[in-house]
Amino acid sequence: MTLRTETTTPVSPATPAARPAPAPGGVSYTDLLERVRYEGAYPTRERAEESVRAVLAALGRQLVGDERVELAARLPVEAALTFTAQVPVTTPLTGWEFVKDLARRTGGSPATTRWDVGAVLAPVARLAGPELVDRVVDQLPSGYALLFGKAELRPSRSATRTTRTARAPRTARPFADRGAA
């Protein structure tokens, strides 16, 4: 009898076997949907949920490694399952290619899909925290910082290579030959 009452007593959230519906940050899936509904100005929770599922599935195809695991751990369970159910691609898309691919998959326009991506990734970024979002953005090709609501502060990888190789070396003292004449 004592054993039965112990098993029906709520278990501490720190116990892995009894993981509650809210994410470690205390946000439930319903809370996430309401935040996305507000960010995206969606008329219904169902419309917000469509965006959450589509965007997180698409992001799940792009992200690998520790960042993928950490992000999933910070999401509500239902969102984490959608995110981790996807097999990552071998070559991730740039931010713009990500939006165009998602638009093609969902049948939306690139403009409305970009809106949906921002409406979902802004609350996800708040759940993840700035340090993890920076690591996620660093892992992915250019264009994702803007999707997460951050400034893109790094040049694209291809632009960096061509800029560095195209420059001629500078002379340390260009007028050294004009010295005393």
Side-chain angles (χ1 to χ4, degrees):
M1 191 66 131
T2 305
L3 205 72
R4 183 172 294 207
T5 51
E6 287 179 18
T7 57
T8 59
T9 306
V11 181
S12 165
T15 306
R19 184 170 179 185
V27 175
S28 70
Y29 187 63
T30 303
D31 292 338
L32 175 62
L33 293 179
E34 284 303 316
R35 289 179 183 188
V36 169
R37 183 177 177 194
Y38 177 79
E39 290 281 337
Y42 297 122
T44 64
R45 184 182 296 167
E46 291 75 23
R47 177 62 183 94
E49 186 170 19
E50 287 174 20
S51 293
V52 167
R53 289 185 185 280
V55 171
L56 288 179
L59 185 61
R61 289 189 289 274
Q62 303 303 310
L63 202 57
V64 297
D66 292 340
E67 290 77 15
R68 177 183 173 98
V69 173
E70 285 185 50
L71 182 57
R74 295 182 190 189
L75 294 172
V77 174
E78 299 87 342
L81 290 173
T82 299
F83 174 69
T84 58
Q86 305 304 309
V87 176
V89 295
T90 55
T91 306
L93 302 171
T94 65
W96 178 236
E97 291 168 337
F98 173 83
V99 170
K100 289 191 309 186
D101 180 64
L102 185 57
R104 183 183 54 77
R105 289 174 186 264
T106 61
S109 73
T112 58
T113 302
R114 171 60 182 92
W115 179 270
D116 293 341
V117 169
V120 173
L121 293 185
V124 166
R126 286 192 294 276
L127 284 173
E131 187 242 295
L132 178 55
V133 170
D134 288 344
R135 288 183 12 234
V136 165
V137 168
D138 286 344
Q139 183 191 112
L140 296 168
S142 66
Y144 283 87
L146 293 173
L147 299 177
F148 278 97
K150 299 174 60 88
E152 182 83 40
L153 299 177
R154 65 178 177 175
S156 69
R157 292 176 186 163
S158 61
T160 304
R161 274 184 256 142
T162 55
T163 303
R164 288 183 182 164
T165 57
R167 279 191 185 160
R170 292 188 147 191
T171 310
R173 298 178 63 199
F175 301 109
D177 295 341
R178 294 186 186 176

